[in-house]
Amino acid sequence: MPKLPPCFNSFENPIIMSPVDFSTRRRFLMHLAQGTALAVLPGELLSENAVLPPPHAPKVENGIAWFDVQSWGVEGRGWASEAMDRFYARLPGKARGVVREPVWNLSQHSAGMLTRFRTDAQEIHVRYKLTSANLDMPHMPATGVSGIDLYAMDEKAHWRWVDVFRPGNSKTGDSLSQSGKLTSGLDHANRVFSAYLPLYNGIDSLEFGVAEKSKFEPISPRRLKPIVFYGTSITHGACASRPGMCHTAILGRMLDRPVINLGFSGNGTMDPEVGALLTEVDAAAYVIDCLPNMEAKQVAERTVPLVQLIRQVRSETPIILVEDRTYANAWIRRSSRERHETSRSALIHAYDTLVEAKVGHLHYLKGDDLLGRDDEGTTDGSHPNDLGFVRQSEVFAPVLRQALGS
C-alpha cells in the first residue's frame, strides 16, 4: 500500500505516524535486528506491533479493547490542544467573547474533524458522548447531524465508504451517550480507517473498540498544511446524509489534504474577528464562501478588508473567493435571481479592486455550476443534498488544484 503523506498538528504526540507498505516495515525490522541505523522517513510506521504506553493503552471491557481518540488526536482543528476549552471544538478558548455568540456556539460542533487508525478487526465498536440531545434536524438526518462516518483505504490506496453509526440506536437510553457497533462482518485484513465526526453536534468524548486480540494502531493527524474553509451552513455540512459527504470532506479525500471546516450555520458573514483567527492557521489555502449569508451591501463592505487582513499576516497563501450557489428554484423566483445578481456583482467588484491593488495569489470561483444545472442538487432549494455536495466538490477541485500548484 502506498504511503500516506506526512501528518499535520505537531502539537499532538502519537506513537504511530502514518501507514506504510509492508516492505518499509520489513526494512525497518531488518535494520533493527542487525543493529544498524535507519533514516526513517516522516510518516513511516516504526513497529509491526506497536506497544501503546499510557495514555494510549486501551481499557478492556467484556473482551473489547477501547481506545480514546483524545490520546492521539484529530485532523480538522487549527489550534493546539492546550488552546482549546474543549478538545473537539473548532475555535480556541480565547475566541469566546471575541467572536459573536452564535459563532462561538456553532464552533463547538465537530464539523470537519476526522481521526485515523489501522486495525485488522472484523468488527469495530464506537462510543461517544454528544453535547446536544438534538440528534437530527427536519431537513438533515441524524447520521449527518450526529453520526460517525467510517471510510477505509483499499488495496489501490483509495478511500472508500464502509459504514455509518446511526445515532438513536444506542442501548444506553441516554441520547447524549451513543454506543454500539459501527461496523461488522469485515473481510479480514489490516486496513487504515478514517472516521469523520458529527457535522451539527458536538462531542465531549470518543472511543473506538475492537476485539481484545485484534491489532489497533492509532495514526496521528497529518502535518501537511490544511485547506481552511470559512463559510455558512453549507460549509458547515447542511444537508449531507453523512459527515463524510460534506464537500469539505470529499475535497479532503480528492486532494489528499487535511481540511479545517469553519462553517457557521447562518453566521458566515466575513466577520473580522473570525478573519483574525484565520490568520493564526498556517493554511495551504483559504476558501472564503460566505455569500449565502450575505447581501450585496455587506459583501461590498467586508470582502476587501477581510482579504487585506489575511494578507497582512499570510502574504503568499492562496485565497479563493466563492460565489453563492444558485438556488435550485431561482429559475422561477425573481427575488432569488436578483439576490444572486447583486451579491455576485459586489464580490466581483471586490475581487477586481483587490487585483488592481496587486493583491496576489487570489482566485475566484463562480457559483453557477456548484450544484449542477438540473435543480436536483439540494434538499430544500438551498442546502446541497449528497448529489449537490459531490457536484460542488467537482467544481471546487480544479480551482483548488490550481491554487495549490498541484
Side-chain angles (χ1 to χ4, degrees), residues 32-338:
L32 186 65
Q34 294 172 349
T36 57
L38 176 66
V40 181
L41 298 174
E44 290 193 346
L45 189 63
L46 299 184
S47 169
E48 183 75 26
N49 295 294
V51 177
L52 305 178
H56 298 271
K59 294 180 290 187
V60 179
E61 302 173 7
N62 300 319
I64 302 296
W66 289 98
F67 296 83
D68 189 339
V69 171
Q70 192 164 333
S71 67
W72 72 87
V74 291
E75 279 186 15
R77 198 186 65 194
W79 289 266
S81 299
E82 53 268 23
M84 311 303 293
D85 282 357
R86 292 181 49 256
F87 185 83
Y88 296 104
R90 293 181 290 155
L91 291 181
K94 67 180 181 180
R96 183 198 291 266
V98 175
V99 299
R100 292 182 294 111
E101 185 176 2
V103 173
W104 172 257
N105 292 337
L106 292 164
S107 78
Q108 303 307 295
H109 295 168
S110 55
M113 295 185 194
L114 64 85
T115 192
R116 289 196 174 95
F117 52 85
R118 182 198 292 270
T119 183
D120 64 355
Q122 295 175 277
E123 185 172 285
I124 300 173
H125 301 252
V126 68
R127 63 186 184 190
Y128 57 108
K129 188 167 185 178
L130 296 164
T131 60
S132 172
N134 297 321
L135 301 182
D136 59 8
M137 295 190 290
H139 59 340
M140 186 173 174
T143 47
V145 171
S146 306
I148 302 290
D149 201 9
L150 190 66
Y151 282 71
M153 186 173 281
D154 68 12
E155 291 76 9
K156 296 181 180 179
H158 296 149
W159 289 109
R160 301 182 66 176
W161 182 75
V162 177
D163 222 325
V164 64
F165 185 78
R166 299 159 180 80
N169 287 346
S170 176
K171 297 179 181 179
T172 65
D174 175 6
S175 58
L176 293 179
S177 298
Q178 299 293 321
S179 181
K181 289 181 185 177
L182 175 53
T183 192
S184 61
L186 302 179
D187 296 340
H188 185 69
N190 198 22
R191 296 189 184 278
V192 176
F193 292 86
S194 286
Y196 292 87
L197 277 57
L199 290 169
Y200 264 80
N201 210 327
I203 282 186
D204 277 333
S205 62
L206 174 62
E207 297 172 282
F208 291 96
V210 297
E212 186 176 1
K213 294 183 179 179
S214 296
K215 295 179 181 179
F216 188 96
E217 300 168 343
I219 299 173
S220 77
R222 290 174 289 178
R223 291 194 181 98
L224 285 172
K225 291 183 179 182
I227 302 169
V228 178
F229 293 81
Y230 173 35
T232 67
S233 55
I234 295 171
T235 300
H236 200 141
C239 290
S241 67
R242 302 181 277 105
M245 283 306 296
C246 178
H247 69 295
T248 60
I250 296 171
L251 286 163
R253 296 192 296 274
M254 290 174 67
L255 302 177
D256 203 13
R257 281 269 181 180
V259 300
I260 292 176
N261 183 327
L262 295 180
F264 304 114
S265 185
N267 288 275
T269 50
M270 297 192 191
D271 297 359
E273 298 83 3
V274 176
L277 289 164
L278 293 179
T279 68
E280 296 181 4
V281 181
D282 187 10
Y286 297 103
V287 179
I288 310 300
D289 190 2
C290 292
L291 257 62
N293 286 166
M294 302 174 72
E295 295 191 358
K297 184 176 184 294
Q298 204 172 28
V299 175
E301 292 172 345
R302 294 194 171 192
T303 304
V304 171
L306 177 64
V307 172
Q308 290 174 334
L309 175 61
I310 295 172
R311 275 289 171 262
Q312 288 173 9
V313 181
R314 306 290 179 182
S315 60
E316 302 294 323
T317 307
I319 299 172
I320 299 96
L321 299 177
V322 185
E323 288 184 350
D324 49 334
R325 49 73 194 102
T326 300
Y327 286 107
N329 51 13
W331 68 274
I332 201 170
R333 281 187 175 173
R334 179 189 295 273
S335 61
S336 295
R337 295 193 299 274
E338 290 176 348

